[in-house]
Amino acid sequence: MGAVHAKEIKGDDLIDSNVISVRVNDVSVTVERIHIDGLGRTKNDAVVPEVKQIFQAKKFEDVILKSLEAKSKLEDVGAFKKIQIVIDTSKEGGASDGVEVSFIVEEYSRIGGGIHTSVGNNEGSVVTGVRLPNLLGRGEKLVGEYTYGSRKTQGFNLVFMKPFLRNPGARFTAGIGKSGGEWPWSSYMESDLGASTDLSFQSVFGLYHTLKWEGVWRQIRCLNNTASFAVRQEAGHSLKSALHHAVVYDTRDHPILPNEGFMLRLNKELAGIGHWRDVNFWKGDIEFQLNKSLLFGTVLQGTLATGMMQSLDREHGPRICDRYFLGGPLTLRGFQMRGAGPSSDGDALGSTSYCAGGLHLYTPLPFRPGKGGFGDLFRTHLFINAASPDPFKAGHGAEETMQHLAAQLRWAYGAGIVLCLGNIARLELNYCIPVAFQPTDKLNRGFQFGIGLNFL
Amino acid sequence: MSILTESIEIELGASEPWPRDAQLYEPLETQMLLPDIVRCRAVEAFLNMCHLDFEVVHRKNAEDMSPSGMVPFVRCGAFIISELEPIVGFCGTKGHALTEDLSPRDVADMRAYMALLENTFGNAELYMCWMEDTVYQQFTRPSHESIYPWPLGQLLTIQKQRHTCQKLKSLDWAEKSTLEVIEDVTEACQAISEKLARKDFFCGETPTELDALAYAHLHTMLTVKFSDDRLAEAVKQHENLVKFVERITETFFTQH
């Protein structure tokens, strides 16, 4: 990464005899030239607008700040492995205070690859991939990956991504992929083959939007001959064409172990787009999380989530793979995966709506081992979490809904340790005590361990 | 599930009588191809011959629901049994068998004829549906594609055709010409016509599962209309077979 050897000097700092101090904010300069060295296949129009504003700098300090800003924009293009900035006096300029700014860049090689492991909701997988960065010279990227999961799931995906260089954070993605998974708690396996395209961008007030269309061929098969008949009826093929819109507002200081701030996420989905009415429903979810720092590094976190869906098909209710499932070590702790809610012969069937909430009190590890480093990835927490499947029924008024919600309520409390993994996933080991449950629920009393991306 | 637990479950199930709410799951009528029609008709005929109550349920995904991937299947209490032979076995454990009066020799004879029917008529039906081009284009493809939206219907049809062709290839049927297939059917008709002779049923005075299966094949070949009616012609050459079909329809399907 580049380095700039200059610093702002405030007031009358002590001056070493060998170093000449300059007040960078006082020195007037004229930027005469900007060089970008090392451009190969990257197009000029992808980099020129990013550095152009350096010309407007009138003071040396501005040159440095604007250069750093330009550097971070160039990094966002996703074309360069290394960017170095050199600022020098102009050799052949007219102005006596002329300077030249040079960006020495190193592009990514045309093809890259790798193998890594990834963690999804209760599944780890090995991912091998090939990457073609900066494919067309404007930060476009083509990524192909093959995944093999710990639950024997196999998949591939091929994704093309294009950033919109004039709009930071905005990008277009299109891809095809195959994935699969086993859901032993519901005695079925699902294999998906599909295409999707999405557009992400930031709008006013810092709202982050994702608009997505996906078309998926899904096949559901029973895992064994003892699968309940309710699950067996779901077996077969379906073709889903759906539009999703997600909007997120996030002021948290950390995605996994935040200290302050809140997050609001709204998801909407309409399936049955175009002439593909095979799977036809709408679905909406809301998730809200609020964090409050208390004394001695403790954090109070409250989470509420709710969602519902409605089939638009008279013959078919929402299919099992589209429904909501409650229970698991990171959502409704104290219950097994898909352990709470409607079931048939021990197979979880899922619900068409849900309400869930959680309250956590996080504290740093006792005696704070590894403070400022590894230890900061850990927290201990006390929690209460609750959920209720199918609270919203057609034709139910507010009172009936509340009654049903209360009657179906499951809740558990406990304590445990949370570990943040790579800022995207978390690992929890908890001791759980389920309090309210139904006879058909599958409980997990005592220690429960889980890894996942989503949590309540 | 292992074979052992499966057989234990069937043993346990034997103690319960045939339920009144037994259901026979079949694909939608518009979606059924010749081989499916035969399989469903055979099971229906067998259950009717045993005088067992059942309700036919049509489901688009019946084939995917079936534990063996074949239609039809019976849902009988907690049990789900697919295809004719396992269903015959299951009914046997509940005391509903059609072969009790037969000598072991006759039973072996009956099994041999059933195998003959499966190996000639069964394969011929598959061949006509999936490998005979005009039938495939005019009959099989449209009906198989119709149940799922584009492009899923097309993909599944190609998948199924490839699978069926592989199966026929392994049985040495893929190289046959349509004419040879019709000849095989004609020969098999000749053989079962001789076996039936002037009797009411193939084995003695009462119907057996062979009658159910033969009826299903013959009835389907006679009644299902598609561009190629050479299968029907092959059956019509034998008057006793045509009479047999009429008789079974009359006795076991009219009051139902």
Side-chain angles (χ1 to χ4, degrees):
Chain A
M1 289 294 132
V4 177
H5 303 283
K7 67 173 184 176
E8 185 186 9
I9 293 173
K10 288 197 183 84
D12 301 312
D13 279 0
L14 179 70
I15 294 162
D16 192 309
S17 57
N18 292 329
V19 178
I20 302 163
S21 274
V22 182
R23 287 172 194 271
V24 289
N25 50 349
D26 281 351
V27 181
S28 294
V29 291
T30 310
V31 179
E32 293 196 320
R33 280 162 185 273
I34 299 170
H35 297 282
I36 302 175
D37 286 345
L39 286 189
R41 61 187 193 282
T42 309
K43 300 280 189 289
N44 283 346
D45 59 323
V47 291
V48 171
E50 315 293 355
V51 300
K52 229 174 184 170
Q53 45 160 346
I54 304 174
F55 282 122
Q56 291 161 9
K58 294 289 172 243
K59 302 283 184 196
F60 190 62
E61 186 189 22
D62 281 351
V63 176
I64 295 166
L65 294 176
K66 286 206 152 70
S67 300
L68 284 175
E69 204 178 303
K71 185 188 161 205
S72 103
K73 281 186 177 173
L74 288 177
E75 277 168 356
D76 287 346
V77 173
F80 309 115
K81 196 153 54 172
K82 213 165 153 187
I83 302 168
Q84 218 178 336
I85 310 171
V86 176
I87 304 174
D88 201 354
T89 51
S90 182
K91 291 176 188 74
E92 45 187 271
S96 58
D97 57 354
V99 292
E100 293 180 356
V101 182
S102 303
F103 288 86
I104 301 159
V105 298
E106 197 180 318
E107 288 183 341
Y108 281 116
S109 54
R110 275 191 185 274
I111 186 162
I115 177 161
H116 65 272
T117 50
S118 75
V119 181
N121 276 336
N122 268 286
E123 169 163 24
S125 29
V126 179
V127 184
T128 49
V130 179
R131 227 157 26 105
L132 302 175
N134 198 17
L135 191 65
L136 304 170
R138 292 189 180 89
E140 301 85 352
K141 186 161 77 170
L142 188 69
V143 181
E145 281 181 334
Y146 173 79
T147 315
Y148 189 82
S150 58
R151 289 191 192 280
K152 288 185 274 178
T153 55
Q154 280 186 63
F156 76 87
N157 62 69
L158 189 68
V159 177
F160 174 79
M161 199 273 286
K162 179 177 170 48
F164 292 101
L165 300 174
R166 301 293 91 78
N167 298 288
R171 64 199 177 109
F172 167 80
T173 317
I176 54 167
K178 179 183 181 296
S179 61
E182 283 187 4
W183 299 99
W185 312 279
S186 302
S187 292
Y188 73 85
M189 60 193 287
E190 182 182 345
S191 35
D192 293 355
L193 179 67
S196 73
T197 157
D198 71 84
L199 190 67
S200 309
F201 57 93
Q202 205 150 12
S203 74
V204 285
F205 312 124
L207 294 170
Y208 193 77
H209 298 262
T210 307
L211 253 176
K212 177 176 175 182
W213 172 84
E214 62 169 353
V216 205
W217 164 20
R218 307 177 300 180
Q219 190 185 3
I220 288 184
R221 270 172 292 186
C222 291
L223 271 182
N224 48 44
N225 282 352
T226 51
S228 67
F229 199 76
V231 171
R232 196 165 282 285
Q233 282 182 311
E234 298 280 339
H237 306 268
S238 62
L239 192 65
K240 175 177 168 184
S241 158
L243 266 183
H244 299 253
H245 175 230
V247 56
V248 182
Y249 186 71
D250 196 346
T251 68
R252 297 175 302 170
D253 53 358
H254 192 275
I256 302 297
L257 294 174
N259 297 306
E260 265 313 329
F262 72 92
M263 187 270 293
L264 180 67
R265 194 201 320 265
L266 291 169
N267 280 325
K268 279 155 282 167
E269 181 178 355
L270 179 64
I273 301 294
H275 93 273
W276 299 288
R277 297 284 167 84
D278 193 29
V279 178
N280 203 357
F281 66 87
W282 66 260
K283 187 175 181 178
D285 309 296
I286 305 175
E287 197 186 328
F288 178 71
Q289 188 193 85
L290 181 65
N291 299 282
K292 191 85 200 132
S293 257
L294 305 174
L295 291 174
F296 310 117
T298 57
V299 178
L300 187 69
Q301 181 183 70
T303 315
L304 277 175
T306 180
M308 66 181 297
M309 68 180 80
Q310 177 123 40
S311 179
L312 302 171
D313 187 337
R314 262 183 242 115
E315 291 169 29
H316 239 289
R319 287 179 171 71
I320 195 165
C321 48
D322 295 312
R323 290 184 214 141
Y324 298 111
F325 291 90
L326 296 172
L330 268 75
T331 52
L332 185 59
R333 295 164 188 82
F335 291 80
Q336 290 179 20
M337 271 298 269
R338 299 189 165 195
S343 67
S344 164
D345 296 336
D347 291 335
L349 299 179
S351 57
T352 53
S353 63
Y354 80 104
C355 272
L359 194 66
H360 298 257
L361 184 69
Y362 293 98
T363 62
L365 286 181
F367 312 116
R368 298 205 157 193
K371 191 186 173 190
F374 189 62
D376 287 353
L377 298 175
F378 290 88
R379 296 275 171 88
T380 54
H381 72 154
L382 298 170
F383 65 84
I384 299 180
N385 47 210
S388 181
D390 276 328
F392 311 116
K393 294 254 192 228
H396 273 194
E399 202 174 316
E400 279 167 305
T401 303
M402 286 311 289
Q403 274 173 5
H404 192 82
L405 194 145
Q408 288 288 315
L409 191 76
R410 278 91 162 153
W411 69 277
Y413 67 94
I417 299 175
V418 182
L419 167 63
C420 164
L421 286 175
N423 280 359
I424 53 158
R426 70 191 231 161
L427 193 147
E428 288 187 24
L429 178 65
N430 297 316
Y431 190 87
C432 313
I433 301 159
V435 181
F437 45 85
Q438 300 287 323
T440 52
D441 289 351
K442 290 180 186 161
L443 304 180
N444 191 335
R445 280 179 215 276
F447 285 104
Q448 187 176 28
F449 173 78
I451 300 178
L453 300 172
N454 306 317
F455 62 95
L456 265 186
Chain B
M1 190 159 65
S2 74
I3 295 169
L4 179 68
T5 49
E6 205 163 341
S7 60
I8 288 173
E9 282 207 2
I10 289 176
E11 286 293 320
L12 290 173
S15 54
E16 293 166 24
W18 184 264
R20 296 188 64 84
D21 60 350
Q23 289 171 316
L24 183 67
Y25 280 79
E26 297 182 1
L28 303 183
E29 272 168 18
T30 51
Q31 147 197 23
M32 278 203 267
L33 299 174
L34 220 50
D36 297 334
I37 299 172
V38 171
R39 287 195 200 103
C40 295
R41 195 79 181 173
V43 173
E44 282 176 30
F46 173 77
L47 294 176
N48 283 340
M49 286 169 179
C50 292
H51 303 290
L52 294 170
D53 290 333
F54 63 94
E55 176 201 356
V56 177
V57 182
H58 292 281
R59 285 289 162 83
K60 182 166 102 171
N61 58 341
E63 201 174 281
D64 305 289
M65 285 169 71
S66 164
S68 69
M70 298 285 227
V71 285
F73 65 90
V74 179
R75 183 189 183 195
C76 189
F79 297 96
I80 291 161
I81 303 108
S82 62
E83 298 180 73
L84 180 63
E85 272 186 53
I87 290 172
V88 169
F90 178 75
C91 293
T93 62
K94 289 198 183 295
H96 302 284
L98 299 175
T99 50
E100 278 164 338
D101 300 334
L102 297 185
S103 66
R105 194 197 145 97
D106 288 342
V107 172
D109 209 29
M110 182 197 81
R111 294 253 159 83
Y113 273 95
M114 284 177 80
L116 170 79
L117 290 179
E118 277 305 292
N119 292 340
T120 47
F121 290 171
N123 289 341
E125 285 148 6
L126 278 179
Y127 180 96
M128 292 304 276
C129 283
W130 295 98
M131 296 195 77
E132 216 286 321
D133 201 50
T134 39
V135 178
Y136 175 72
Q137 295 295 350
Q138 290 178 4
F139 178 80
T140 309
R141 211 168 64 126
S143 75
H144 201 265
E145 279 175 359
S146 66
I147 48 163
Y148 290 105
W150 179 92
L152 183 54
Q154 281 70 9
L155 279 168
L156 290 174
T157 307
I158 293 168
Q159 209 178 45
K160 179 89 176 216
Q161 195 201 17
R162 192 179 299 164
H163 185 248
T164 311
C165 289
Q166 265 169 7
K167 187 183 162 185
L168 288 174
K169 205 171 269 175
S170 69
L171 295 168
D172 288 333
W173 272 69
E175 283 79 37
K176 292 189 185 191
S177 68
T178 311
L179 214 62
E180 285 173 314
V181 170
I182 302 290
E183 268 172 30
D184 281 358
V185 172
T186 314
E187 273 175 32
C189 284
Q190 181 70 37
I192 59 166
S193 173
E194 280 167 16
K195 166 79 177 162
L196 182 65
R198 304 207 157 274
K199 289 177 290 185
D200 279 355
F201 302 106
F202 281 97
C203 311
E205 300 298 307
T206 52
T208 60
E209 47 262 38
L210 172 60
D211 295 279
L213 187 64
Y215 164 74
H217 280 292
L218 297 171
H219 179 264
T220 309
M221 288 195 281
L222 281 172
T223 52
V224 173
K225 294 270 175 282
F226 49 76
S227 58
D228 205 310
D229 58 353
R230 283 177 286 182
L231 287 180
E233 290 305 318
V235 181
K236 279 180 191 162
Q237 288 172 11
H238 305 279
E239 203 194 336
N240 62 342
L241 295 182
V242 179
K243 285 261 170 62
F244 168 78
V245 170
E246 282 166 4
R247 194 160 54 241
I248 301 276
T249 311
E250 178 106 352
T251 324
F252 296 106
F253 281 91
T254 38
Q255 71 271 44
H256 196 73

